[in-house]
Amino acid sequence: QIGEFSNVIVEAEPSAAPAPADEDPASDIGLKTFDEINMSMSALTGVSKTSSGVNATFNTIKQQLPTVETISGFLSAHQMAITQLSIQYCDALVEDTTLRTSFFPAFDFSVNANTVFDTNGRDLVITPLLENLVGNNLDSQPADSDISTELNSLIDTLTTCSSDSSCAGDRTETVVKATCAAVLGSAVTLVQ
């Protein structure tokens, strides 16, 4: 009670709403999360995600893989885990003679790395990688020719063996595994 008035309530005028925050624009692309990466690598290579080496590697590095799709949250630790997983998948692909024959049908793994990676031999590795691992007709993707140039450079580096002797017997498989991992662990399979 105030004087002759009781239960006096004065309604406050609501304040004007503030202008919305002008945040940084969000990216139109994102990353696959840890399970999506594992499933994609399995589907692209034909290697089962339950394969012992792949499964052990995935369980070891799972917490190091991306957990959210936001590309701005991508860390170097993510790339290291993705690299480890892609190497494991490509290792399993090349070590399984049935899978590798299906994936690289015309490539001869028994020929020494000094000679097998001539122009034709390189194409027998690079072309299946482009056909099986790189998307087609996407809005944003590197050109196949750009990827081929990088893979050729990688093969040049990996097939440089001492002049005194030929490359080690398993070098051919190692070069194919590394070339496969370079594509499988890159943005062409990780960005969505």
Side-chain angles (χ1 to χ4, degrees), residues 66-174:
T67 57
V68 294
E69 295 178 351
T70 310
I71 201 160
S72 61
F74 189 70
L75 304 170
S76 59
H78 294 147
Q79 185 60 55
M80 292 309 300
I82 291 164
T83 300
Q84 290 175 5
L85 190 59
S86 66
I87 289 169
Q88 189 61 52
Y89 268 103
C90 289
D91 179 69
L93 170 65
V94 172
E95 290 297 323
D96 184 316
T97 55
T98 304
L99 284 176
R100 81 179 183 195
T101 300
S102 174
F103 201 93
F104 304 103
F107 186 76
D108 188 354
F109 283 87
S110 66
V111 179
N112 191 284
N114 285 350
T115 56
V116 75
F117 291 105
D118 61 6
T119 303
N120 186 47
R122 287 173 189 232
D123 289 342
L124 296 177
V125 172
I126 294 173
T127 301
L129 290 172
L130 294 175
E131 290 173 352
N132 293 305
L133 303 182
V134 178
N136 294 316
N137 302 318
L138 302 175
D139 291 340
S140 175
Q141 72 182 56
D144 284 356
S145 60
D146 292 339
I147 298 170
S148 293
T149 300
E150 293 300 322
L151 295 178
N152 274 304
S153 177
L154 176 63
I155 291 171
D156 284 342
T157 301
L158 296 175
T159 56
T160 303
C161 303
S162 67
S163 57
D164 298 328
S165 64
S166 62
C167 292
D170 65 345
R171 186 65 162 213
T172 298
E173 291 180 354
T174 302

Side-chain angles (χ1 to χ4, degrees), residues 20-88:
D22 190 16
E23 297 179 4
D24 293 332
S27 176
D28 291 336
I29 58 174
L31 293 174
K32 294 179 181 175
T33 60
F34 60 96
D35 281 332
E36 292 170 327
I37 291 169
N38 194 30
M39 292 297 293
S40 293
M41 288 185 178
S42 177
L44 292 170
T45 61
V47 175
S48 172
K49 65 183 181 126
T50 60
S51 169
S52 62
V54 167
N55 192 40
T57 300
F58 179 70
N59 287 330
T60 301
I61 56 125
K62 182 177 179 178
Q63 292 182 344
Q64 198 176 336
L65 291 167
T67 57
V68 294
E69 295 178 351
T70 310
I71 201 160
S72 61
F74 189 70
L75 304 170
S76 59
H78 294 147
Q79 185 60 55
M80 292 309 300
I82 291 164
T83 300
Q84 290 175 5
L85 190 59
S86 66
I87 289 169
Q88 189 61 52

Side-chain angles (χ1 to χ4, degrees), residues 1-8:
Q1 173 97 20
I2 299 179
E4 59 189 59
F5 302 101
S6 64
N7 296 324
V8 177

